């Protein structure tokens, strides 16, 4: 849920979702309205702290009078709009999008996708064994991050988080075009030769695990990653006076990664390199 | 903004190419050598808003390096980024978006051989093989198989570009192995292209309006243009005032000729009335639809007409700056338009005080760099602004937030050129041409299996058969593709389809850009469909999933059934339909939404795999 700062009162817009009257504050998206009305619309690329890119198209809904389907995550609700969230047409598009994605990338660490594939009866295998896939090896070129583009759905969230929406480092871009488009740093270089400042905010927003902490990646590779036994403790970063919130993910009495709550009105889940990665001193038991 | 530049340095040549465009750097912060550092540099850096405003110079900067060196090295890209305060990752993303740029070393000469529909039908694959055999390895020429070069009336076509100062280009069309190799190995001595009038079989005829000056005026002479009626429309526009011009255009019933057929007057009115300023005019001359070359012929044959039409449009909507976004594969059109803009400016027909009316307007030409998607309105804006040419999601629409986020009118070349006869003959007279709902005349690009390929001008309402008869379609017609790769096929027994927006719609097809490609029985239809699928897979920007992956899955399915029919193909055809439906419904822009049209129509109307 996006944190909405208090401002001048906003008018309520009246429109219809699936035949029921709904009222949402001016400026809300169709997705906000759907969620407020208790409708389940799947989303992949939508980010709670970023402007929606509406690239994945899994949240499409039908809007009366619109020729094509409409992405719920980014289209603003308008008065009198007639929205249908679960028609055969919308479900068909969602099914195909899930099939297209699952046939080309590894969605094994993407939350909720397995459920949607079942719900929409998507069959990613039907494009045949020769369907083009990414098939790229994970890029491991530093001790903090792993970039596993085989899992990347090109949602642009890391680009937006690194760019003008949060970090203003602009180390990440999309290079190439079409199916060959890839998330890349300048000149396709190693991360260590790029403008990256290792804030980890791209990992924070990555919805599929394509970007991950080296600590998490190594534990997963060794078969030792076990979220069910992890505890999460939110605390305050002690490095400087800003007071960012840190959530320590602890497994077997070891901090395995650090995230930050997105509903913190100061940082919205963003941290710097120290807050995100500078935790080893806590568990330096040497 | 953190700006991090690596250690790579530009070569002297790369530095010179960039400095030739932007002037020498003012400060070492901008990339001047350290020994040029002045005391003031220690306390001063270009930055902030002023620097961000220079982002739009990225595409011209990339062209400057690519034109001079033939490819864009790390050092050159970093230097360009320093000059413009653009993060290298973003510039890298932009450079790798366009087909005409390379970020890997390649020979200085690139020979682009068109392998699209008309050229394939005219034997492009034999041509490619012949050229490669003749050149052999180590020839210093990189041969690239490319999408439509817009020379369909002279298929097959090849375009040689040799990097240097200045960059040299040579066109070979219709190309033979010898002629194409000559163009690549000695572009300066390659024979001159035939004049644009050779693409107008009706030239000199009394029925022409839009094409009436092609072949009649000297395209380099402003005086000649004025002697043939040039600038009477602009004078009338000044007499009517902006609101009067918009009223005339609205009353004329002019619909946009780019494919969407939106009422031009309504678009102008919506932009003119926006309180936000400045307003911009953008002319879309990124004619990349396979089979379409009318805008090239207009720009090469009657360039001042477009300058005048842009001036009228800008005046009507209150714009003082116009961009002419011209596709990079049209070197002669770029040259002629630049010459026309420069002469017009010298003579006070562009600039601060046009015709002494106190109205200021100027045109900047931007060269595209090989991306079909940049013909999409919002992708074109992104391209001009120095971003990747990815479409924006709409709303907001361009009339409200277009180029640089300001109210913008975008029209294509043919639409704008129609404004001249509307003003000279008056809206009521113009509206009597054509049909009630499709007024005026339309340019059609006829290519493929016809005796006289070229650009034809007919009043709306003529039938497809009449057009093909003019172009000399022979016996054995198998199929006609209307509207290019994004259009649809019709059968030879459907030639009575009226060529109007409403007539084609009623017949379940589209007029699109006005491309009409005729194919006889010698053209293998499944191969053609595969080529269309390959085109869209290649040209998808990659932003949204239905288009990025859908175009790949469709091409794979067409590969599987290329030699199959009936039950053997049924499973894959069902798959094609399912994917095609989602692409049409859920893609961000028109490219993904229409990518399946032609193949679908071939299956449904031609029985392609029965």
């Amino acid at each position: 849920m996006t944190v909405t700062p208090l401002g001048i009162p906003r008018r309520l817009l009246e429109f219809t979702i699936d035949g029921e009257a709904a009222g949402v504050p001016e400026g809300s998206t169709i997705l906000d309205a759907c969620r407020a009305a208790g409708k389940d619309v799947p989303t992949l690329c939508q980010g709670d702290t970023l402007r929606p890119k509406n690239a994945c198209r899994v949240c499409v809904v039908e809007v009366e009078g619109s020729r094509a389907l409409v992405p719920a995550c980014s289209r603003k609700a308008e008065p009198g709009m007639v929205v249908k969230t679960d028609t055969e047409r919308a479900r068909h598009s969602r099914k195909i999008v899930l099939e297209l994605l699952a046939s080309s990338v590894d969605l094994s660490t993407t939350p909720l996708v397995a459920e949607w594939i079942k719900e929409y009866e998507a069959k990613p295998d039907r494009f045949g064994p020769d369907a083009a896939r990414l098939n790229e090896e994970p890029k491991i070129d530093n001790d903090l991050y792993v970039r596993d583009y085989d899992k990347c759905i090109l949602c642009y969230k890391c680009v937006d988080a690194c760019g003008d929406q949060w970090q203003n480092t602009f180390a990440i871009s999309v290079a190439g075009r079409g199916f060959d488009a890839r998330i890349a740093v300048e000149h396709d270089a190693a991360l260590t030769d790029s403008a990256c400042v290792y804030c980890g905010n791209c990992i924070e927003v990555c919805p599929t695990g394509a970007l991950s902490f080296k600590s998490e990646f190594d534990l997963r590779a060794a078969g030792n990653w076990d979220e069910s036994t992890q505890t999460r403790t939110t605390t305050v970063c002690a490095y400087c006076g800003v007071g960012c919130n840190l959530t320590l993910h602890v497994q077997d009495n070891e901090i395995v990664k650090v995230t930050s709550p997105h509903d913190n009105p100061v940082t919205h889940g963003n941290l710097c390199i120290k807050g995100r990665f500078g935790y080893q001193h806590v568990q330096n038991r040497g | 903004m953190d700006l991090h530049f690596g250690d790579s340095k530009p070569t002297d040549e790369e530095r010179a190419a960039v400095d030739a465009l932007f002037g020498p750097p003012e400060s070492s912060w901008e990339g001047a050598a350290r020994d040029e550092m002045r005391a003031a540099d220690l306390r001063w850096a270009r930055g902030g808003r002023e620097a961000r405003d220079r982002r739009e110079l990225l595409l011209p900067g990339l062209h400057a390096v690519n034109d001079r060196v033939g490819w864009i090295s790390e050092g050159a890209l970093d230097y360009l980024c320093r000059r413009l305060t653009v993060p290298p990752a973003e510039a890298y993303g932009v450079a790798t978006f366009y087909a005409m740029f390379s970020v890997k070393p390649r020979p200085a000469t690139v020979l682009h051989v068109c392998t699209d529909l008309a050229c394939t039908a005219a034997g492009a694959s034999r041509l490619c093989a012949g050229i490669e055999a003749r050149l052999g390895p180590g020839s210093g020429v990189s041969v690239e198989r490319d999408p439509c070069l817009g020379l369909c009336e002279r298929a097959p076509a090849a375009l040689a570009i040799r990097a240097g100062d200045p960059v040299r280009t040579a066109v070979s069309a219709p190309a033979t192995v010898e002629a194409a190799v000559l163009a690549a190995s000695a572009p300066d001595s390659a024979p001159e292209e035939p004049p644009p009038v050779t693409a107008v079989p009706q030239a000199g005829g009394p029925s022409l309006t839009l094409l009436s000056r092609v072949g009649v005026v000297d395209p380099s002479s402003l005086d000649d243009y004025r002697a043939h009626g040039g600038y009477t429309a602009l004078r009338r526009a000044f007499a009517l005032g902006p609101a009067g011009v918009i009223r005339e255009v609205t009353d004329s019933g002019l619909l946009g000729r780019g494919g969407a057929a939106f009422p031009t007057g309504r678009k102008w009115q919506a932009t003119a009335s926006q309180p936000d300023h400045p307003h911009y005019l953008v002319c879309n001359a990124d004619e990349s639809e396979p089979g379409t070359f009318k805008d090239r012929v207009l720009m090469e044959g009657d360039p001042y007409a477009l300058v005048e039409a842009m001036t009228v449009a800008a005046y009507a909507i209150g714009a003082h700056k116009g961009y002419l976004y011209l596709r990079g594969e049209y070197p002669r059109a770029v040259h002629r338009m630049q010459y026309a803009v420069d002469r017009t400016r010298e003579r006070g027909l562009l600039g601060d005080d046009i015709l002494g009316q106190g109205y200021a307007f100027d045109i900047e030409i931007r060269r595209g760099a090989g991306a079909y998607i940049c013909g999409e309105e919002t992708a074109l804006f992104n391209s001009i602004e120095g971003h990747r040419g990815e479409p924006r999601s709409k709303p907001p629409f361009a009339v409200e937030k277009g180029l640089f986020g300001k109210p913008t009118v975008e029209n294509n070349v043919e639409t704008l050129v129609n404004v001249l006869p509307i003003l000279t003959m008056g809206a009521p007279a113009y509206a009597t041409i054509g049909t009630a709902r499709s007024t005026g005349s339309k340019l059609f690009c006829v290519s493929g299996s016809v005796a006289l390929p070229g650009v034809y001008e007919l009043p709306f309402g003529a039938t497809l058969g009449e057009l093909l008869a003019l172009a000399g379609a022979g016996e054995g017609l198998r199929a006609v593709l209307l509207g290019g790769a994004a259009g649809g096929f019709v059968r030879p027994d459907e030639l009575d389809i009226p060529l109007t927006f409403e007539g084609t719609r009623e017949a379940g097809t589209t007029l699109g850009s006005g491309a009409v490609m005729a194919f006889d029985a010698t053209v293998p239809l499944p191969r053609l469909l595969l080529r269309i699928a390959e085109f869209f897979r290649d040209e998808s920007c990659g932003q949204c999933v239905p288009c990025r992956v859908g175009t790949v899955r469709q091409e794979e399915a067409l590969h599987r059934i290329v030699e199959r029919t009936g039950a053997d193909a049924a499973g894959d055809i069902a798959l094609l339909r399912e994917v095609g439906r989602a692409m049409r419904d859920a893609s961000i822009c028109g490219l993904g939404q229409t990518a399946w049209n032609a193949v679908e129509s071939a299956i449904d109307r031609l029985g392609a795999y029965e």
Side-chain angles (χ1 to χ4, degrees):
Chain A
M1 178 68 198
T2 310
V3 176
T4 313
L6 289 178
I8 50 167
R10 293 186 294 170
R11 278 183 300 180
L12 272 192
L13 302 178
E14 292 188 3
F15 67 106
T16 337
I17 303 178
D18 295 339
E20 295 163 28
V24 285
E26 215 176 6
S28 306
T29 62
I30 294 175
L31 185 66
D32 291 335
C34 288
R35 289 188 172 162
K39 305 275 177 194
D40 181 33
V41 176
T43 61
L44 272 172
C45 75
Q46 190 257 347
D48 53 358
T49 65
L50 297 163
R51 276 199 298 276
K53 182 73 184 166
N54 65 73
C56 78
R57 316 304 276 187
V58 80
C59 71
V60 286
V61 294
E62 234 176 289
V63 171
E64 213 172 84
S66 175
R67 193 169 39 87
L69 298 175
V70 161
C73 68
S74 65
R75 180 65 62 86
K76 294 270 190 292
E78 291 164 29
M81 220 179 216
V82 178
V83 177
K84 292 177 189 148
T85 64
D86 206 34
T87 60
E88 190 274 330
R89 199 173 153 209
R91 290 183 68 91
H92 173 80
S93 277
R94 285 180 208 158
K95 177 185 102 162
I96 296 289
V97 162
L98 289 166
E99 287 181 346
L100 293 174
L101 271 181
S103 67
S104 53
V105 284
D106 169 11
L107 296 175
S108 61
T109 50
T110 308
L112 298 172
V113 155
E115 289 167 36
W116 294 332
I117 284 183
K118 210 174 285 170
E119 183 192 338
Y120 290 96
E121 295 171 5
K123 297 184 185 67
D125 295 339
R126 66 193 182 120
F127 298 114
D130 298 331
R133 295 184 61 89
L134 289 187
N135 283 332
E136 284 180 21
E137 287 301 307
K139 290 182 189 324
I140 309 169
D141 50 24
N142 67 89
D143 289 338
L144 303 181
Y145 284 38
V146 176
R147 298 180 283 161
D148 185 357
Y149 291 137
D150 210 22
K151 293 179 174 171
C152 176
I153 60 166
L154 241 77
C155 69
Y156 290 64
K157 282 163 86 173
C158 56
V159 179
D160 291 343
C162 189
D164 62 350
Q165 292 192 35
W166 287 116
Q167 184 61 26
N168 269 287
T169 292
F170 298 94
I172 315 176
S173 172
V174 177
R177 186 166 88 188
F179 195 75
D180 298 326
R182 294 285 183 281
I183 302 290
V185 298
E186 61 267 35
H187 316 303
D188 268 337
L191 208 61
T192 44
D193 293 333
S194 76
C196 178
V197 298
Y198 302 94
C199 63
N201 292 330
C202 55
I203 303 180
E204 182 77 50
V205 297
C206 178
T208 63
L211 299 173
S212 67
F213 296 84
K214 178 85 163 31
S215 52
E216 178 177 344
F217 182 85
D218 288 345
L219 283 168
R220 278 186 190 276
N224 292 331
W225 181 259
D226 185 3
E227 234 156 284
S228 65
T229 65
Q230 290 173 8
T231 59
R232 297 177 182 202
T233 310
T234 298
T235 179
V236 177
C237 180
Y239 276 108
C240 77
V242 171
C244 301
N245 282 182
L246 305 179
T247 300
L248 309 176
H249 298 239
V250 175
Q251 180 179 327
D252 296 333
N253 210 27
E254 291 275 334
I255 300 172
V256 290
K257 71 173 177 183
V258 174
T259 59
S260 179
H262 290 201
D263 59 0
N264 182 312
V266 179
T267 58
H268 293 281
N270 293 288
L271 294 172
C272 72
I273 180 171
K274 290 193 278 189
R276 181 88 63 190
F277 295 106
Y279 56 78
Q280 284 302 338
H281 66 288
V282 177
Q283 47 204 28
N284 186 350
R285 302 181 179 94
Chain B
M1 184 193 296
D2 300 335
L3 275 179
H4 171 276
F5 301 103
D7 298 330
S8 42
K9 297 270 181 292
T11 64
D12 289 346
E13 206 180 11
E14 289 163 346
R15 182 186 288 272
V18 175
D19 289 352
L21 187 66
F22 305 142
E26 287 177 22
S27 140
S28 52
W29 293 101
E30 263 194 52
R34 270 194 86 76
D35 53 4
E36 289 166 27
M37 188 187 263
R38 296 163 304 184
D41 283 355
L42 298 172
R43 281 177 279 115
W44 182 89
R46 188 187 286 279
R49 186 170 297 280
E50 186 195 356
R52 286 200 292 277
D53 287 348
R54 287 152 57 94
R55 170 75 182 247
E56 57 141 345
L57 297 171
L58 184 57
L59 186 57
L62 292 169
H63 266 302
V65 174
N66 200 68
D67 278 353
R68 179 85 68 108
V69 188
W71 68 288
I72 299 160
S73 72
E74 285 187 24
L77 193 69
D78 278 3
Y79 181 63
L80 187 58
C81 289
R82 262 182 214 277
R83 296 298 315 270
L84 298 176
T85 330
V86 171
E90 293 208 339
Y92 181 75
V94 173
T96 53
F97 186 82
Y98 295 100
M100 292 178 83
F101 298 148
S102 172
V103 294
K104 297 200 170 65
R106 65 173 172 187
T109 306
V110 179
L111 182 64
H112 300 271
V113 185
C114 179
T115 55
D116 232 312
L117 304 174
C119 289
T120 289
S125 46
R126 272 198 316 281
L127 178 66
C128 277
I131 291 169
E132 278 166 340
R134 177 71 62 88
L135 285 169
S139 65
V141 176
S142 162
V143 180
E144 291 186 4
R145 289 164 163 79
D146 273 1
C148 188
L149 290 170
L151 296 161
C152 321
E153 86 280 13
R154 310 204 297 272
L159 165 68
I161 301 178
R162 173 171 291 181
D165 182 24
V167 62
R168 262 97 67 187
T169 59
V171 163
S172 174
T176 58
V177 172
E178 290 73 26
V181 167
L182 174 69
S185 52
D188 292 335
S189 54
E192 182 84 359
E193 269 188 82
V197 68
T198 53
V200 183
Q202 296 163 305
S207 62
L208 300 181
T209 310
L210 306 172
L211 295 171
S212 62
R213 276 185 294 258
V214 177
V216 175
V217 294
D218 171 0
S220 66
S221 167
L222 178 54
D223 289 326
D224 204 24
Y225 175 66
R226 296 182 78 159
H228 285 88
Y231 281 97
T232 49
L234 183 62
R235 284 180 197 283
R236 172 115 202 283
F238 282 136
L240 290 168
V245 176
I246 292 176
R247 196 170 50 241
E248 284 286 290
V249 172
T250 307
D251 291 349
S252 75
L254 176 65
L255 301 178
R257 305 292 199 241
F262 191 82
T264 306
R266 192 149 27 115
K267 192 190 266 190
W268 288 17
Q269 177 59 47
T271 304
S273 59
Q274 289 290 325
D276 194 12
H277 280 274
H279 295 178
Y280 288 105
L281 173 74
V282 174
C283 174
N284 184 347
D286 190 65
E287 177 179 62
S288 312
E289 185 64 54
T292 314
F293 45 95
K294 60 194 168 67
D295 292 349
R296 172 179 61 78
V297 170
L298 276 172
M299 291 188 288
E300 290 181 347
D302 195 11
Y304 292 100
L306 181 56
V307 176
E308 183 185 358
M310 284 181 73
T311 312
V312 171
Y315 175 68
I317 62 163
H320 300 291
K321 176 95 194 249
Y323 285 87
L324 173 60
Y325 189 91
L326 222 168
R327 72 179 300 211
E329 293 90 338
Y330 281 177
R332 184 161 74 173
V334 171
H335 176 76
R336 293 226 165 132
M337 287 310 307
Q338 188 64 59
Y339 188 82
V341 165
D342 292 345
R343 294 296 82 73
T344 324
R345 192 183 295 125
E346 275 170 16
R347 299 273 290 272
L349 292 163
L350 283 177
D352 290 338
D353 183 17
I354 295 171
L355 285 173
Q357 297 283 324
Y359 177 68
F361 176 64
D362 213 331
I363 294 173
E364 191 175 325
I365 296 177
R366 281 299 169 87
R367 243 193 314 156
Y372 170 74
I373 185 61
C374 288
E376 197 276 343
E377 180 172 75
T378 55
L380 195 159
F381 299 153
N382 277 334
S383 181
I384 291 179
E385 291 178 23
H387 296 278
R388 292 164 56 80
E390 293 171 350
R392 304 172 184 170
S393 61
K394 286 157 277 187
F397 293 98
V399 293
E400 196 188 331
K401 288 188 189 308
L403 186 63
F404 302 114
K406 298 295 178 183
T408 303
V409 160
E410 186 188 291
N411 286 134
N412 84 339
V413 174
E414 186 188 345
T415 311
L416 284 168
V417 168
N418 267 286
V419 171
L420 304 177
I422 289 170
L423 287 184
T424 49
M425 69 173 74
Y430 180 92
T432 60
I433 307 169
T435 65
R437 282 153 70 198
S438 298
T439 58
S441 56
K442 175 80 190 93
L443 300 182
F444 296 99
C445 311
V446 188
S447 60
S449 318
V450 292
L452 292 168
V455 187
Y456 288 82
E457 179 175 350
L458 290 176
F460 275 110
T463 65
L464 179 57
E466 287 164 9
L467 174 65
L468 286 174
L470 274 178
E475 293 292 301
L477 192 65
R478 166 85 168 91
V480 180
L481 179 58
L482 280 183
F489 282 97
V490 297
R491 290 187 305 272
D493 62 355
E494 296 178 296
L495 297 186
D496 56 350
I497 293 178
L499 295 173
T500 57
F501 293 116
E502 64 276 11
T504 45
R505 203 178 308 126
E506 278 158 25
T509 182
T510 175
L511 211 51
S513 58
V516 176
M517 309 179 85
F519 299 104
D520 63 21
T522 64
V523 180
L525 194 57
R527 295 266 162 212
L528 212 59
L529 301 184
L530 198 52
R531 171 63 215 168
I532 292 173
E534 182 187 284
F535 174 81
F536 283 108
R537 187 256 297 144
D538 241 12
E539 296 295 343
S540 168
C541 79
Q543 196 180 198
C544 70
V545 176
C547 180
R548 180 177 77 232
V549 190
T551 52
V552 174
R553 297 289 174 258
Q554 288 209 318
E555 191 193 346
E556 288 166 350
L558 287 169
H559 263 293
R560 286 196 290 268
I561 58 174
V562 75
E563 306 291 347
R564 288 193 231 157
T565 52
D568 290 344
D572 277 314
I573 287 176
L575 197 67
L576 280 165
R577 284 190 199 279
E578 281 200 45
V579 173
R581 184 178 168 212
M583 285 166 66
R584 184 174 292 153
D585 267 351
S587 297
I588 290 181
C589 80
L591 187 149
Q593 290 164 6
T594 60
W596 153 245
N597 284 1
V599 179
E600 183 186 41
S601 68
I603 293 171
D604 290 343
R605 294 176 96 109
L606 305 179
Y609 298 99
E610 279 169 12

